[in-house]
Amino acid sequence: LHQIWWTTTLRPAYKRCKYYFELHTDTEVWYYFEDGFLTEEQLGLEGRMLQCFTVPWMNPADVNRTPDWVNETVWYQIFPDRFCNGKPEDQQEGLTPWRLGPVTNEERFGGNLEGIRQRLGYLQDLGITGIYLNPIMEAESNHKYDTKDYTKIDPAFGDERTMRLLVSEAHERGIKIMVDAVFNHCGRKFGPWLDVQKKGRESEYADWFMVQNWEELKKRADTRDGRFYSFAFADGMPKLNTNSEQVIRYFCKVCEDWVRSYEIDGIRFDVGNEVSHRFLKRLREHLKSLKPDIYLLGEIWHDASQWLQGDEYDSVMNYPLMSGIHDFFLDKSLGKEAFEYMVNRCYTMYMQQNNNVMFNLLDSHDTERLMNRFKDLDIFYQQLAVLFTMPGSPCIYYGTEIALEGGHDPDCRRCMPWEELKNEENQKRIELMKELIRMRKTHQSCRSLYFHFPNEYENRRCVEYVKLDEAGRKLEVILNCSEEKLEIHGTGEVLFSRNYQEGRLGPKGTLVRSLGI
């Protein structure tokens, strides 16, 4: 099966539009309508009822609109407890000393908002223009996905004043701030849940939770038996009923306060495919009325089309792209056409408005770190070259700039090794990351939605694609994923390279160059 994906932009003179396709071969013409293919004779059959593709009326309110600034953003994800302790003199009880190497879920290392604020200069110098913060509201655990109070900054991280100062100073440096919203579930110490445990069905918050067995709840209310939560709750935490009008109003107010109090720029929704569509539609309408360009991002690991119709999320975390890139480098039986198919699949699922602000990542607090997967710097930089040249906006996880290692959760949440950053090898890696970020920000073609795969090299494991911007400027990406050297065709301005010399691209080599117009 051979497929060609292409896009075009149509600007009809009127608000209504009907259309069909003409498909020309060397010897014949076929006509494609909503109900199938027709020959020229069938098309001209007198009295035929033609089922054109139809846009009945283009209502401005129904146009999918996403915030333009996101496409210009290079994100940096921070897990606050492990990034930087800005107040080491205020030693909290029970903290584990900052260290290198593996970590567990039980340890607290003391990273806080003040530490992030003190490192804004470092992030600005790196080229970062957006920070995605894992949860910062009050919670019991170090990861803070078990929220106790949605209206209060966790004391371990700081207070409202520190958060306002962090956002204000980030904005002065041209850096946006996105916070994590955990609305699928709450912690066991969340006030309304404590009330439900105490009063059962008589609680004014009874409708706030997805309780399936009230008798069982009553029996186990005073226990910490995790098995109870397997049938009524999510991951050992009470599951919120986001169909409830009370819950919808509560979280609309919570998010409004975050916007008004801290002036945040975006919200990432944890377990974004399990909160109700009704909840998301209402929340989007409310937040966009307060701040039209706020970025609403869903954590969805699969095809998210039903959440991206213009009335819920602006975008989702592009895990299909992450897994597709990984699998191509893992599976040597895959040829370049598999890579092309994977990329096309990821970018034909959604509207262009969503693709333009897709949140692209290669690792996160929920995955094994990028460097751990192949333990090979050449492959590491090949994957980063793809990340920084794909449509959407790229995000690097803290420490990726030095190829920080870490296994699956929780080991991917290691402490940021600030003292180690000074050594020569890490300084070289930081400079390479700066090159990639600078390339992304300088060349519009990196950020563009438009690309094609020219297939000029016979090597089956040579990935090649050309990005084009609206002015027609071309940027070429060539990845040699084979064991053989490649003779590179043509010339151009080299923007980023690895294992490339005198027109030859070595095994595991990367070449990104500008070809002009």
Side-chain angles (χ1 to χ4, degrees):
L1 178 63
H2 297 281
Q3 299 176 351
I4 299 175
W5 297 100
W6 56 273
T7 63
T8 189
T9 301
L10 181 66
R11 293 184 173 88
Y14 306 99
K15 292 292 184 180
R16 294 183 178 92
C17 181
K18 287 188 175 183
Y19 60 97
Y20 62 92
F21 298 89
E22 287 187 13
L23 307 175
H24 292 252
T25 72
D26 292 339
T27 59
E28 57 188 351
V29 179
W30 286 85
Y31 300 88
Y32 181 44
F33 287 80
E34 190 175 76
D35 57 347
F37 292 92
L38 299 176
T39 64
E40 193 160 6
E41 291 74 23
Q42 289 172 320
L43 177 70
L45 188 64
E46 185 176 353
R48 180 140 209 145
M49 301 178 69
L50 298 173
Q51 295 294 316
C52 292
F53 295 96
T54 302
V55 180
W57 180 258
M58 298 177 191
N59 286 292
D62 295 330
V63 174
N64 189 344
R65 302 182 190 280
T66 55
D68 290 336
W69 61 265
V70 177
N71 182 257
E72 307 286 328
T73 303
V74 177
W75 295 98
Y76 190 91
Q77 182 188 350
I78 293 177
F79 191 82
D81 181 63
R82 310 291 166 78
F83 185 65
C84 181
N85 185 346
K87 291 187 173 182
E89 67 278 6
D90 297 344
Q91 186 70 15
Q92 301 170 30
E93 185 177 349
L95 288 186
T96 301
W98 208 265
R99 70 160 188 262
L100 306 180
V103 295
T104 70
N105 260 335
E106 290 68 42
E107 297 163 314
R108 297 172 186 263
F109 289 92
N112 48 36
L113 297 179
E114 175 60 22
I116 299 170
R117 188 188 72 81
Q118 291 177 13
R119 299 294 182 174
L120 286 175
Y122 165 79
L123 296 178
Q124 182 183 21
D125 184 60
L126 193 60
I128 298 302
T129 53
I131 295 173
Y132 156 41
L133 294 173
N134 285 118
I136 57 172
M137 296 300 158
E138 186 175 18
E140 289 187 274
S141 65
N142 61 34
H143 56 69
K144 309 302 178 189
Y145 282 97
D146 51 347
T147 313
K148 177 180 177 182
D149 189 341
Y150 290 91
T151 68
K152 181 182 178 184
I153 300 293
D154 195 289
F157 292 160
D159 55 24
E160 283 67 26
R161 178 184 173 278
T162 313
M163 180 59 180
R164 281 193 287 270
L165 192 61
L166 168 61
V167 177
S168 174
E169 292 191 11
H171 285 172
E172 289 174 5
R173 295 176 180 272
I175 298 174
K176 306 280 190 179
I177 299 290
M178 178 166 64
V179 298
D180 221 328
V182 190
F183 298 159
N184 171 64
H185 54 267
C186 65
R188 300 187 190 190
K189 296 292 182 69
F190 182 45
W193 172 243
L194 293 177
D195 194 77
V196 167
Q197 282 192 306
K198 181 179 179 181
K199 301 175 183 176
R201 290 182 182 178
E202 303 307 312
S203 169
E204 63 180 298
Y205 302 106
D207 185 47
W208 282 44
F209 303 94
M210 303 290 279
V211 177
Q212 299 174 13
N213 189 323
W214 286 97
E215 293 305 315
E216 189 73 9
L217 173 64
K218 185 176 180 181
K219 275 194 280 184
R220 298 180 183 265
D222 296 325
T223 76
R224 296 183 64 85
D225 185 354
R227 288 174 297 176
F228 162 64
Y229 296 95
S230 66
F231 67 84
F233 296 88
D235 299 327
M237 288 175 271
K239 185 169 176 61
L240 290 156
N241 177 16
T242 52
N243 303 300
S244 161
E245 181 64 23
Q246 288 178 295
V247 170
I248 292 172
R249 289 180 181 177
Y250 174 78
F251 283 115
C252 279
K253 182 62 167 63
V254 163
C255 290
E256 177 181 339
D257 290 344
W258 290 353
V259 172
R260 293 191 187 279
S261 298
Y262 308 127
E263 298 186 4
I264 58 170
D265 306 285
I267 300 176
R268 178 262 192 187
F269 293 80
D270 185 60
V271 198
N273 56 343
E274 291 194 24
V275 293
S276 75
H277 291 289
R278 178 170 179 248
F279 173 92
L280 291 171
K281 293 178 197 295
R282 288 273 299 279
L283 189 58
R284 179 188 178 90
E285 186 174 10
H286 186 66
L287 290 176
K288 293 289 185 176
S289 69
L290 295 171
K291 189 169 187 173
D293 68 343
I294 192 169
Y295 181 46
L296 303 179
L297 173 70
E299 182 212 6
I300 299 179
W301 291 55
H302 52 86
D303 182 349
S305 302
Q306 61 182 300
W307 287 271
L308 296 176
Q309 299 302 307
D311 56 354
E312 296 184 41
Y313 298 129
D314 291 313
S315 172
V316 290
M317 302 177 80
N318 204 349
Y319 279 108
L321 180 66
M322 181 194 81
S323 61
I325 293 171
H326 168 75
D327 289 349
F328 177 79
F329 283 93
L330 177 71
D331 187 351
K332 299 296 193 296
S333 72
L334 297 176
K336 66 174 78 176
E337 68 282 350
F339 184 92
E340 178 180 350
Y341 176 82
M342 177 275 295
V343 171
N344 281 328
R345 179 178 61 83
C346 288
Y347 285 102
T348 52
M349 288 193 289
Y350 312 130
M351 299 183 197
Q352 289 197 19
Q353 297 96 314
N354 304 117
N355 287 337
N356 200 46
V357 298
M358 196 60 60
F359 191 87
N360 297 331
L361 69 164
L362 294 174
D363 54 3
S364 73
H365 67 293
D366 283 328
T367 73
E368 184 180 27
R369 279 190 173 269
L370 178 61
M371 186 57 190
N372 256 56
R373 294 178 189 154
F374 298 98
K375 297 188 182 297
D376 186 314
L377 276 173
D378 291 330
I379 296 177
F380 175 84
Y381 284 109
Q382 283 184 314
Q383 294 184 69
L384 283 170
V386 177
L387 177 71
F388 280 95
T389 54
M390 280 289 117
S393 64
C395 177
I396 62 170
Y397 190 33
Y398 76 97
T400 298
E401 65 268 36
I402 57 165
L404 184 63
E405 295 184 10
H408 291 284
D409 172 10
D411 192 42
C412 54
R413 305 168 182 179
R414 295 185 183 187
C415 296
M416 183 71 171
W418 290 106
E419 291 302 315
E420 299 294 314
L421 262 62
K422 301 173 184 176
N423 70 44
E424 184 179 356
E425 180 59 30
N426 282 334
Q427 284 298 305
K428 288 180 181 177
R429 295 175 183 180
I430 288 172
E431 287 304 313
L432 286 173
M433 183 61 73
K434 285 181 180 180
E435 280 186 38
L436 286 166
I437 293 174
R438 189 161 48 245
M439 176 184 74
R440 172 79 186 190
K441 293 163 73 173
T442 303
H443 293 269
Q444 187 186 354
S445 47
C446 280
R447 310 186 298 275
S448 168
L449 288 164
Y450 310 112
F451 57 90
H452 69 272
F453 295 83
N455 196 26
E456 292 183 357
Y457 295 87
E458 292 183 4
N459 188 309
R460 61 180 296 275
R461 290 280 293 174
C462 170
V463 169
E464 42 175 326
Y465 55 94
V466 173
K467 295 291 302 295
L468 301 97
D469 66 17
E470 292 185 354
R473 289 182 290 262
K474 298 178 182 179
L475 180 140
E476 182 182 47
V477 180
I478 303 176
L479 310 174
N480 183 2
C481 305
S482 74
E483 301 300 323
E484 305 167 6
K485 284 186 177 181
L486 277 177
E487 295 287 339
I488 300 301
H489 308 159
T491 59
E493 178 191 357
V494 176
L495 305 177
F496 182 86
S497 69
R498 192 170 174 89
N499 297 338
Y500 175 68
Q501 192 172 12
E502 296 180 350
R504 289 190 176 92
L505 189 62
K508 302 178 189 176
T510 303
L511 175 62
V512 183
R513 59 183 181 175
S514 172
L515 302 181
I517 295 179

